[in-house]
Structures are given as structure tokens and as C-alpha cells.
Amino acid sequence: MNTKPQVNVVWLKRDLRLHDNEAIFNALKTGRQVLLLYSFEPILMDDAHYSERHWNFIKESLVDLNAELKQYNSKVLIVQSDIIAAINHLQSHFRISDIYSHQETGILVTYERDKNFKRFCKNNLINWHENINNGVIRGLKDREGWNEKVDAFYAIDPLPFQPRQDQLVPIEVINEIEQNLNIPSLSTPEFTAFQKGGRSTGKKYLKSFFSERYPNYMQHISKPELARTSCSRISPYIAWGNLSVREVYHEAYHLKETSKHKKALEAFMSRLRWQTHFIQKFEMEHTMEEASVNKGFHRLKKSISKKYQVAWKTGNTGYPLVDACMRCLNETGYLNFRMRALVVSFFTHNLWQPWQEATTHLSQMFLDFEPGIHFPQLQMQAGETGINMLRIYNPVKNSLEHDPEASFIKKWVPELYKLDTPFAHQPYLMTALEQQFYNFKLGRDYPNPIVDLDTTRKKAGDALWKLRKDKTVLEESKRILKKHTLRNKLQNT
DNA sequence: CCCAGCTTTAT
DNA sequence: TAAAGCTGG
């Protein structure tokens, strides 16, 4: 006779929150007792896309979650093992017939893991309930009716977290279970330059954005320094599910009714929608992680230069804005959208390196790494979708425009601090005499430019535009437009 | 990804 | 002068 208590397990993945969490909501709705589970899985911890900063962010999120759960006399069971082993172990304590989690639009590693898990659930007579996340819909053939579906998703009020008395597995029971499991330490460095993980911190960013920072959203969005305060900075909290896109959208919507800066809020909301679009694209085209979505670009062969790649990663290309961006990203985990585009443009066009060589460094550095945005954006910026305008950014033009006083540059490339502004933008223009005057030697104190901007720009542009006339590229462009957009106009057909 | 608004190019 | 290309947001 089976006397084990029955629980619904909620498997937390990249949705580290209680509020507006459909998996938790559905698990509670059944009336059964609910156990929240997070597992640090070796296959992910060892994966090259992730880095220490992500694991720390997750740990901080879990600590925050547990603080919130204290009032319910519960906590998340946090283990360090693969998910199947974790569930297997839990089955010695509970009868588990239902597991709840969100549909994850992840990388190949999580996709494979989920397929295995599905098989495991089937063999163990467990119902695995996966809910829609971020409005992204699984199994679509094209975008027919997609906007309406997303509208419907956003229209629903965020789901409340309302367990009845003692509905969550109590702390004492979880402590007992932990005795026989591999429990990771949740301690994280106290002082870092990274945004701190956790819903309560995410809420603080949201509050300060909506109460004071958002009016300059549009004017500052492309400026490397000003964007850091005029943009919301909630991306890591969205990426790791501390905040739901829907609740943010709703807050913006309500604020708009009384706001004097409606345009700024509209722009912000529009970008929230684009976030959903890109994740949807990746959901429907998961091979994008490794190869260009436009198969015509598979034959684009670029020669790999480790020397260029190291210079780029460490911020030693000799182009101050590129270097400042890369060093700032490495230190803080954040860069505004335009500057991300610029460093990818420099890597793929000026250094003429395959975008695949940039993926893991960037995903490790972006605290807000979101697979569904990462790969589509990388490919688009590399000019390998066939359906978008090429964008080859000029780092000098951008620094003069967006960092006119070179303050961002001087902050992150201190070698250039003592130079006057024009030379901080273009140190390679200094004559020998001027270098002597500033006690600054190019090639010693700061690198010479590793490539020439004009020639590399032209070479990349010519090669990519030529390929765009290729038959396969054109066919693929048609296919991509048909599958991922509602637009019908086709170029060059 | 789209859109607006502008500039350049092709015929 | 319409279409295509470019740029900022």
C-alpha cells in the first residue's frame, strides 16, 4: 500500500518567480500540495554558453525566492543534479503524478534534456504539464494569427500567487529530504559590478524606471553611457524570469494612461513585444544556434584569426569605442542594444570572423543571456538572414555621435584618460610629436588599430551583397519571410 | 523585426 | 522619379 503523500512538483527553470507563474498557478489550482524544485544541472553548468555570473544571478534569485516563501513556511528544494535523478529521488518521498514547468525556448542542450525528460515522464506515468512562457507559442508553422494570440496572452491579468494554508510542502519536510541530496551552496560574492539577481531587486529597477528614469528612454537608448540609466535595465530579470514580461507590460500600459511621456512608454512596450517575436522565431527555427537561418550563407567561409578574436574579447582592437564596450561588458554584464550591435558588426564585418565564434563569449558575458534573442540577433547583425538590411557600423562615427565627450571611452579604457577628446576617439591620428607631448605611445600604451575600417567595411559589404544575389540565398529569404513574418513583399524575385 | 525619413541609384 | 539603400530609433 502506498502511503506516500502526493505532491505536484513545479520544476523551476528560467522562471524564478512566484507571481504570474503559470506553472505554479496551475499546480496550486488542483488543490494538491505543491513542491517547488530547482536543479543546478551539470549539463548546463558545464555548457559553454553559461558562466559564473549566471549561476550567481540564479543563486541570488533563489535566495530571494526563499525569503518570500518563508511566510508560507516553505522553500524551494534546490539540488545539484540532473532533473531525472532529482525526480527519481523525490519519488522515494512522494507520489508524483504531475510535474509543471514552462515551455523552454532553450539551446540544443536543454532541448535534448527536455526530450529525455518527456520520455522519462511517460515511462513513469507522470503527466508533464508545460505552459506557454512569454507569449511564445510552440508548434507554429508560420505567423498567421500570431499577433492576435500574443495580444490575448498579454491581455490576461498577471496570475496571482495564492497558495491556501499549508499547500506548499513545509520547510521541515524539505530540510529532511535535503539530507540525502547534493545541495549546492547559495553563497555569492557580496560586492560585484553585476546587477543582483532576484525578484525584489528586479522590482526596484522597474520602480525606479517607471517613476523617474523612463522619460529619456528614446533619446538615450543608443548612447553607451546614458542608456545605462535611461533604459529599464530589467533584461536580466526578464531573462531569468524574476519578472514576467506580461506584468511589466501591464505596468507600462497603466502608467501610460496618466503619463506625460507616452511616446517613451510606447517605445518601451514595443520592444517588449519584439522580445516575444525573436524568441518565437528561435522557437520555430532552433537550428539557428549553430548555423545561419538562411542556408545560402552556409557556404560563406571566413578565415579564423584567434589573434583578432582575442583582441576583440579583451578590448584591444585599437578602436576605443569597441574596446570600451567589450571591457565594460566583461566587467558589468551589460551593454545597451546599439553597442551590442556595434561590437558584433566589428567582429563579423571588420574582423570578418564567423558569428559562431562570438556566440559563447557574448552569452557568457551578457548577464541577460536569452537564447531566443541571442541567436536571431547575432545572425541578423552578421548580415546572414538575407531578409534584413546590412548594417556595418563605423565605431568612430558612433563614438563621436553617441559619446561626444569620450567619457564612456575614458571610463573603460583608462589608457586614453589623459588624452584630449578628439584623440580619445582616434588615438591613431596622433603624430609622434603629439604622442610625446601626452607621454603616450601608440603600440605601447594602447594598441594600433588591428584592421583598417574602410577597406574591411568595403570587403565585407561587397562579399555579403554579392552573396545576397545567390539563388539559394534568395530562395531561403522567401522561405524565412513566409515562415517568420506577415510581410509578403519579396526583393529581387 | 518594422517604421519613418532621408539619400542614392537605375532607367 | 520610382525603387532601392541607409540610418536612427
Side-chain angles (χ1 to χ4, degrees), chain A residues 59 66 80 126 184 196 220 258 264 280 307 313 326 381 392 424 439-440 445 454 462 490-491:
Chain A
K59 286 175 179 178
N66 279 345
Q80 183 153 347
I126 293 170
K196 192 179 165 74
H220 294 171
T258 54
Q280 182 71 53
K307 197 185 94 192
K313 283 180 191 174
M326 293 307 286
Q381 191 46 60
I392 307 178
N439 187 24
F440 173 91
D445 298 316
D454 293 335
D462 288 351
L490 302 168
Q491 55 268 69

Side-chain angles (χ1 to χ4, degrees), chain A residues 14 25 40 52 90 107 135 179 234 248 334 346 349 394:
Chain A
R14 294 184 64 132
F25 184 84
F40 285 93
E52 201 61 28
L90 282 178
I107 54 179
Q179 301 301 314
I234 60 168
V248 175
Y334 176 81
F346 190 81
H349 298 134
N394 183 329

Side-chain angles (χ1 to χ4, degrees), chain A residues 214 252-262 265:
Chain A
Y214 80 93
Y253 185 87
H254 291 308
L255 179 58
K256 212 184 111 181
E257 287 169 2
T258 54
S259 172
K260 277 183 273 181
H261 309 278
K262 291 185 172 40
L265 290 171

Side-chain angles (χ1 to χ4, degrees), chain A residues 100-139:
Chain A
Y100 297 78
S101 63
H102 73 247
Q103 288 175 350
E104 184 173 358
T105 305
I107 54 179
L108 292 170
V109 175
T110 54
Y111 182 52
E112 287 303 320
R113 176 205 60 195
D114 285 355
K115 282 197 285 189
N116 284 334
F117 188 66
K118 196 167 191 175
R119 214 170 303 130
F120 166 83
C121 287
K122 204 175 163 208
N123 294 339
N124 285 267
L125 303 175
I126 293 170
N127 304 307
W128 183 21
H129 310 269
E130 286 185 285
N131 60 278
I132 286 179
N133 190 37
N134 291 326
V136 174
I137 299 153
R138 190 162 279 184

Side-chain angles (χ1 to χ4, degrees), chain A residues 353-406:
Chain A
Q353 295 297 297
W355 60 265
Q356 285 92 334
E357 297 284 313
T359 56
T360 55
H361 177 72
L362 290 177
S363 67
Q364 285 174 23
M365 294 301 111
F366 292 154
L367 185 63
D368 55 18
F369 169 52
E370 162 59 66
I373 296 176
H374 196 68
F375 298 101
Q377 285 288 345
L378 211 47
Q379 293 196 24
M380 193 192 300
Q381 191 46 60
E384 299 196 19
T385 63
I387 63 168
N388 304 103
M389 185 56 53
L390 283 185
R391 279 172 184 248
I392 307 178
Y393 291 93
N394 183 329
V396 178
K397 181 172 178 287
N398 270 272
S399 76
L400 291 169
E401 231 157 70
H402 297 304
D403 187 26
E405 307 300 321

Side-chain angles (χ1 to χ4, degrees), chain A residues 320-442:
Chain A
L321 184 60
V322 174
D323 293 341
C325 284
M326 293 307 286
R327 295 187 199 183
C328 170
L329 174 61
N330 296 347
E331 291 291 316
T332 69
Y334 176 81
L335 212 52
N336 64 316
F337 178 77
R338 192 61 116 218
M339 293 302 113
R340 294 186 195 206
L342 179 126
V343 298
V344 172
S345 163
F346 190 81
F347 185 87
T348 56
H349 298 134
N350 298 106
L351 300 183
W352 200 238
Q353 295 297 297
W355 60 265
Q356 285 92 334
E357 297 284 313
T359 56
T360 55
H361 177 72
L362 290 177
S363 67
Q364 285 174 23
M365 294 301 111
F366 292 154
L367 185 63
D368 55 18
F369 169 52
E370 162 59 66
I373 296 176
H374 196 68
F375 298 101
Q377 285 288 345
L378 211 47
Q379 293 196 24
M380 193 192 300
Q381 191 46 60
E384 299 196 19
T385 63
I387 63 168
N388 304 103
M389 185 56 53
L390 283 185
R391 279 172 184 248
I392 307 178
Y393 291 93
N394 183 329
V396 178
K397 181 172 178 287
N398 270 272
S399 76
L400 291 169
E401 231 157 70
H402 297 304
D403 187 26
E405 307 300 321
S407 55
F408 180 76
I409 286 170
K410 289 181 174 186
K411 180 171 184 177
W412 294 103
V413 189
E415 305 95 287
L416 305 175
Y417 191 79
K418 60 187 172 188
L419 304 185
D420 283 319
T421 306
F423 290 135
H425 287 294
Q426 292 170 287
Y428 46 84
L429 293 184
M430 294 168 85
T431 62
L433 187 67
E434 281 158 343
Q435 292 185 45
Q436 208 172 35
F437 176 75
Y438 286 100
N439 187 24
F440 173 91
K441 196 162 161 41
L442 209 62

Side-chain angles (χ1 to χ4, degrees), chain A residues 92-236:
Chain A
S92 62
H93 295 270
F94 301 106
R95 193 156 73 80
I96 299 167
S97 61
D98 297 85
I99 296 176
Y100 297 78
S101 63
H102 73 247
Q103 288 175 350
E104 184 173 358
T105 305
I107 54 179
L108 292 170
V109 175
T110 54
Y111 182 52
E112 287 303 320
R113 176 205 60 195
D114 285 355
K115 282 197 285 189
N116 284 334
F117 188 66
K118 196 167 191 175
R119 214 170 303 130
F120 166 83
C121 287
K122 204 175 163 208
N123 294 339
N124 285 267
L125 303 175
I126 293 170
N127 304 307
W128 183 21
H129 310 269
E130 286 185 285
N131 60 278
I132 286 179
N133 190 37
N134 291 326
V136 174
I137 299 153
R138 190 162 279 184
L140 292 187
K141 302 253 178 316
D142 56 36
R143 291 298 180 98
E144 207 64 53
W146 182 77
N147 273 314
E148 291 74 15
K149 285 178 190 140
V150 177
D151 282 343
F153 177 85
Y154 277 107
I156 296 166
D157 278 331
L159 306 167
F161 175 68
Q162 289 168 326
R164 61 168 167 71
Q165 191 73 28
D166 302 322
Q167 196 178 356
L168 301 174
V169 174
I171 271 181
E172 301 76 33
V173 175
I174 294 171
N175 287 342
E176 190 71 25
I177 298 169
E178 283 181 346
Q179 301 301 314
N180 299 312
L181 283 166
N182 190 9
I183 304 302
S185 156
L186 293 184
S187 71
T188 53
E190 202 173 338
F191 300 106
T192 72
F194 303 119
Q195 289 175 267
K196 192 179 165 74
R199 179 174 173 82
S200 55
T201 315
K203 293 277 275 187
K204 282 182 199 163
Y205 276 94
L206 200 57
K207 195 179 169 197
S208 73
F209 179 62
F210 283 149
S211 63
E212 46 197 286
R213 295 187 285 119
Y214 80 93
N216 287 321
Y217 183 72
M218 293 294 278
Q219 298 91 294
H220 294 171
I221 197 165
S222 294
K223 319 260 179 232
E225 190 68 55
L226 295 170
R228 301 180 85 81
T229 45
S230 292
C231 289
S232 71
R233 304 300 302 272
I234 60 168
S235 55

